[in-house]
PDB file of all heavy atoms in Angstrom:
ATOM      1  N   PRO A 114      11.922  -5.223  -7.948  1.00 96.00           N
ATOM      2  CA  PRO A 114      13.288  -5.499  -7.495  1.00 96.00           C
ATOM      3  C   PRO A 114      14.002  -4.272  -6.935  1.00 96.00           C
ATOM      4  O   PRO A 114      14.708  -4.372  -5.922  1.00 96.00           O
ATOM      5  CB  PRO A 114      13.976  -6.022  -8.766  1.00 96.00           C
ATOM      6  CG  PRO A 114      12.859  -6.647  -9.546  1.00 96.00           C
ATOM      7  CD  PRO A 114      11.655  -5.786  -9.291  1.00 96.00           C
ATOM      8  N   ASP A 115      13.791  -3.095  -7.548  1.00 95.00           N
ATOM      9  CA  ASP A 115      14.520  -1.914  -7.049  1.00 95.00           C
ATOM     10  C   ASP A 115      13.946  -1.369  -5.748  1.00 95.00           C
ATOM     11  O   ASP A 115      14.522  -0.471  -5.132  1.00 95.00           O
ATOM     12  CB  ASP A 115      14.610  -0.827  -8.131  1.00 95.00           C
ATOM     13  CG  ASP A 115      13.247  -0.385  -8.644  1.00 95.00           C
ATOM     14  OD1 ASP A 115      12.230  -0.940  -8.185  1.00 95.00           O
ATOM     15  OD2 ASP A 115      13.212   0.526  -9.492  1.00 95.00           O
ATOM     16  N   ALA A 116      12.803  -1.902  -5.301  1.00 97.00           N
ATOM     17  CA  ALA A 116      12.226  -1.461  -4.031  1.00 97.00           C
ATOM     18  C   ALA A 116      12.555  -2.420  -2.879  1.00 97.00           C
ATOM     19  O   ALA A 116      12.237  -2.124  -1.723  1.00 97.00           O
ATOM     20  CB  ALA A 116      10.711  -1.329  -4.161  1.00 97.00           C
ATOM     21  N   VAL A 117      13.215  -3.536  -3.190  1.00 98.00           N
ATOM     22  CA  VAL A 117      13.521  -4.530  -2.147  1.00 98.00           C
ATOM     23  C   VAL A 117      14.323  -3.911  -0.992  1.00 98.00           C
ATOM     24  O   VAL A 117      13.990  -4.141   0.188  1.00 98.00           O
ATOM     25  CB  VAL A 117      14.249  -5.752  -2.750  1.00 98.00           C
ATOM     26  CG1 VAL A 117      14.852  -6.630  -1.658  1.00 98.00           C
ATOM     27  CG2 VAL A 117      13.270  -6.560  -3.610  1.00 98.00           C
ATOM     28  N   PRO A 118      15.354  -3.078  -1.249  1.00 98.00           N
ATOM     29  CA  PRO A 118      16.098  -2.507  -0.114  1.00 98.00           C
ATOM     30  C   PRO A 118      15.222  -1.647   0.793  1.00 98.00           C
ATOM     31  O   PRO A 118      15.447  -1.592   2.009  1.00 98.00           O
ATOM     32  CB  PRO A 118      17.176  -1.656  -0.804  1.00 98.00           C
ATOM     33  CG  PRO A 118      17.317  -2.226  -2.173  1.00 98.00           C
ATOM     34  CD  PRO A 118      15.948  -2.705  -2.545  1.00 98.00           C
ATOM     35  N   PHE A 119      14.225  -0.978   0.207  1.00 98.00           N
ATOM     36  CA  PHE A 119      13.285  -0.185   1.010  1.00 98.00           C
ATOM     37  C   PHE A 119      12.556  -1.091   2.000  1.00 98.00           C
ATOM     38  O   PHE A 119      12.509  -0.810   3.204  1.00 98.00           O
ATOM     39  CB  PHE A 119      12.296   0.519   0.068  1.00 98.00           C
ATOM     40  CG  PHE A 119      11.051   1.047   0.731  1.00 98.00           C
ATOM     41  CD1 PHE A 119      11.103   2.142   1.571  1.00 98.00           C
ATOM     42  CD2 PHE A 119       9.813   0.443   0.494  1.00 98.00           C
ATOM     43  CE1 PHE A 119       9.938   2.626   2.180  1.00 98.00           C
ATOM     44  CE2 PHE A 119       8.654   0.927   1.081  1.00 98.00           C
ATOM     45  CZ  PHE A 119       8.725   2.022   1.934  1.00 98.00           C
ATOM     46  N   TYR A 120      12.004  -2.201   1.513  1.00 98.00           N
ATOM     47  CA  TYR A 120      11.260  -3.099   2.403  1.00 98.00           C
ATOM     48  C   TYR A 120      12.180  -3.747   3.437  1.00 98.00           C
ATOM     49  O   TYR A 120      11.798  -3.908   4.597  1.00 98.00           O
ATOM     50  CB  TYR A 120      10.520  -4.160   1.582  1.00 98.00           C
ATOM     51  CG  TYR A 120       9.444  -3.578   0.708  1.00 98.00           C
ATOM     52  CD1 TYR A 120       9.533  -3.609  -0.686  1.00 98.00           C
ATOM     53  CD2 TYR A 120       8.335  -2.945   1.268  1.00 98.00           C
ATOM     54  CE1 TYR A 120       8.547  -3.050  -1.485  1.00 98.00           C
ATOM     55  CE2 TYR A 120       7.353  -2.381   0.483  1.00 98.00           C
ATOM     56  CZ  TYR A 120       7.459  -2.434  -0.894  1.00 98.00           C
ATOM     57  OH  TYR A 120       6.476  -1.865  -1.667  1.00 98.00           O
ATOM     58  N   GLU A 121      13.384  -4.099   3.026  1.00 98.00           N
ATOM     59  CA  GLU A 121      14.306  -4.728   3.981  1.00 98.00           C
ATOM     60  C   GLU A 121      14.662  -3.753   5.105  1.00 98.00           C
ATOM     61  O   GLU A 121      14.800  -4.157   6.257  1.00 98.00           O
ATOM     62  CB  GLU A 121      15.532  -5.252   3.237  1.00 98.00           C
ATOM     63  CG  GLU A 121      15.169  -6.487   2.390  1.00 98.00           C
ATOM     64  CD  GLU A 121      16.327  -7.081   1.614  1.00 98.00           C
ATOM     65  OE1 GLU A 121      17.271  -6.337   1.275  1.00 98.00           O
ATOM     66  OE2 GLU A 121      16.292  -8.289   1.339  1.00 98.00           O
ATOM     67  N   LYS A 122      14.767  -2.475   4.781  1.00 98.00           N
ATOM     68  CA  LYS A 122      15.021  -1.463   5.829  1.00 98.00           C
ATOM     69  C   LYS A 122      13.891  -1.424   6.835  1.00 98.00           C
ATOM     70  O   LYS A 122      14.078  -1.075   7.993  1.00 98.00           O
ATOM     71  CB  LYS A 122      15.153  -0.077   5.200  1.00 98.00           C
ATOM     72  CG  LYS A 122      16.542   0.236   4.741  1.00 98.00           C
ATOM     73  CD  LYS A 122      16.765   1.727   4.606  1.00 98.00           C
ATOM     74  CE  LYS A 122      18.271   1.933   4.466  1.00 98.00           C
ATOM     75  NZ  LYS A 122      18.614   3.317   4.193  1.00 98.00           N
ATOM     76  N   LEU A 123      12.688  -1.756   6.361  1.00 98.00           N
ATOM     77  CA  LEU A 123      11.503  -1.708   7.231  1.00 98.00           C
ATOM     78  C   LEU A 123      11.237  -3.051   7.899  1.00 98.00           C
ATOM     79  O   LEU A 123      10.173  -3.263   8.483  1.00 98.00           O
ATOM     80  CB  LEU A 123      10.279  -1.274   6.410  1.00 98.00           C
ATOM     81  CG  LEU A 123      10.023   0.235   6.280  1.00 98.00           C
ATOM     82  CD1 LEU A 123      11.242   1.018   5.845  1.00 98.00           C
ATOM     83  CD2 LEU A 123       8.857   0.499   5.348  1.00 98.00           C
ATOM     84  N   GLY A 124      12.191  -3.955   7.820  1.00 97.00           N
ATOM     85  CA  GLY A 124      12.086  -5.209   8.569  1.00 97.00           C
ATOM     86  C   GLY A 124      11.435  -6.362   7.843  1.00 97.00           C
ATOM     87  O   GLY A 124      11.126  -7.387   8.457  1.00 97.00           O
ATOM     88  N   TRP A 125      11.205  -6.202   6.538  1.00 98.00           N
ATOM     89  CA  TRP A 125      10.617  -7.301   5.772  1.00 98.00           C
ATOM     90  C   TRP A 125      11.717  -8.305   5.441  1.00 98.00           C
ATOM     91  O   TRP A 125      12.863  -7.930   5.195  1.00 98.00           O
ATOM     92  CB  TRP A 125       9.987  -6.783   4.487  1.00 98.00           C
ATOM     93  CG  TRP A 125       8.721  -6.013   4.718  1.00 98.00           C
ATOM     94  CD1 TRP A 125       8.616  -4.778   5.307  1.00 98.00           C
ATOM     95  CD2 TRP A 125       7.392  -6.416   4.390  1.00 98.00           C
ATOM     96  NE1 TRP A 125       7.297  -4.392   5.366  1.00 98.00           N
ATOM     97  CE2 TRP A 125       6.528  -5.372   4.798  1.00 98.00           C
ATOM     98  CE3 TRP A 125       6.845  -7.546   3.782  1.00 98.00           C
ATOM     99  CZ2 TRP A 125       5.145  -5.444   4.632  1.00 98.00           C
ATOM    100  CZ3 TRP A 125       5.476  -7.601   3.602  1.00 98.00           C
ATOM    101  CH2 TRP A 125       4.639  -6.567   4.027  1.00 98.00           C
ATOM    102  N   ALA A 126      11.343  -9.577   5.422  1.00 98.00           N
ATOM    103  CA  ALA A 126      12.318 -10.650   5.141  1.00 98.00           C
ATOM    104  C   ALA A 126      12.078 -11.216   3.743  1.00 98.00           C
ATOM    105  O   ALA A 126      10.924 -11.394   3.325  1.00 98.00           O
ATOM    106  CB  ALA A 126      12.158 -11.762   6.168  1.00 98.00           C
TER     107      ALA A 126
END
Side-chain angles (χ1 to χ4, degrees):
D115 57 358
V117 167
F119 163 71
Y120 295 114
E121 289 180 333
K122 273 201 167 174
L123 273 50
W125 288 70

